[in-house]
Amino acid sequence: MLNLNEHSRIILDSISPSGNRITTFLIKIPKCLQAELNTHREMGAKSSVSSRAVPIEAMIERVLNDTYYPVWTGKQAGMAGATLTQEQIDLEHKAWAQELEYIVSRVKERCDRGIHKQDANRLLEPFMYVEVLVTATEYDNFFLLRDHEAAHPGLRVVAHSMKFQYEQSIPQKLNYGTGTYHLVTS
């Protein structure tokens, strides 16, 4: 798992005898932005924890201890929002925290009525982060699009962290038939 303030960590970085690099990251992104991450097909394998699998008490605790707060921006034309004043941002943070408190109470009520966690946990998703394992041989397009001032701020901070680590990392050289491989086992 990642620390509260971590956005990404390289799990394994290697290079084949033919010079092909493959890097596996563990990243933490807002759950509501997971679909944007999934648009990057060049970033081969992605795997994340399902909110259906986590017990409701654990999910509530996770969300309360590490709540996703959007980077609030103002209404304007285009895909990127305008800068807000600190007073506006503080007001939105306060409202978001109140909305989370309300949602948590509704989730608990539903569970008390016998609703399954797969349904109740969905209500918490706007407030949660999800950890995703990402393995790919090509990150340039992702970095170009997502580590950019026009990218969504919640994904941009993750892409920036990944790019920095990627550029600093020295891949492990592998020989055919030896070394640690980027495998997912079940």
Side-chain angles (χ1 to χ4, degrees), residues 23 46 107 113 121 130 135:
T23 308
K46 298 179 205 80
V107 166
R113 291 195 309 262
N121 277 346
V130 63
T135 300

Side-chain angles (χ1 to χ4, degrees), residues 4-22:
L4 290 179
N5 296 323
E6 271 187 298
H7 301 288
S8 68
R9 180 174 68 229
I10 290 179
I11 302 300
L12 191 59
D13 191 10
S14 41
I15 193 161
S16 73
S18 60
N20 296 315
R21 183 177 182 181
I22 184 168

Side-chain angles (χ1 to χ4, degrees), residues 44-184:
K46 298 179 205 80
S47 178
S48 64
V49 170
S50 168
S51 57
R52 295 178 57 214
V54 179
I56 194 68
E57 298 81 13
M59 186 64 76
I60 289 171
E61 183 178 336
R62 183 183 295 178
V63 171
L64 292 175
N65 288 335
D66 191 17
T67 306
Y68 165 63
Y69 284 88
V71 176
W72 301 103
T73 56
K75 183 178 172 180
Q76 70 177 13
M79 290 179 61
T83 302
L84 295 176
T85 66
Q86 189 60 51
E87 183 179 340
Q88 290 171 305
I89 293 168
D90 292 344
L91 181 64
E92 293 306 318
H93 276 331
K94 182 178 178 183
W96 190 254
Q98 290 169 340
E99 290 156 357
L100 174 58
E101 185 178 321
Y102 175 79
I103 291 296
V104 166
S105 69
R106 299 292 81 81
V107 166
K108 288 178 179 178
E109 284 178 14
R110 283 187 168 92
C111 290
D112 290 344
R113 291 195 309 262
I115 299 300
H116 193 272
K117 65 184 175 187
Q118 74 178 359
D119 302 314
N121 277 346
R122 297 285 184 216
L123 296 171
L124 296 169
E125 289 182 356
F127 304 93
M128 71 172 40
Y129 287 97
V130 63
E131 289 186 338
V132 182
L133 253 153
V134 179
T135 300
T137 56
E138 177 57 50
Y139 286 97
D140 291 345
N141 187 55
F142 175 75
F143 294 149
L144 180 71
L145 295 174
R146 301 302 182 169
D147 185 21
H148 187 276
E149 64 186 31
H152 188 287
L155 199 47
R156 182 175 61 220
V157 69
V158 175
H160 184 75
S161 171
M162 291 172 68
K163 183 179 179 186
F164 176 79
Q165 291 175 47
Y166 186 80
E167 290 172 345
Q168 301 301 311
S169 181
I170 299 171
Q172 166 191 354
K173 292 184 181 179
L174 299 178
N175 293 317
Y176 292 116
T178 64
T180 304
Y181 293 91
H182 302 249
L183 299 177
V184 176

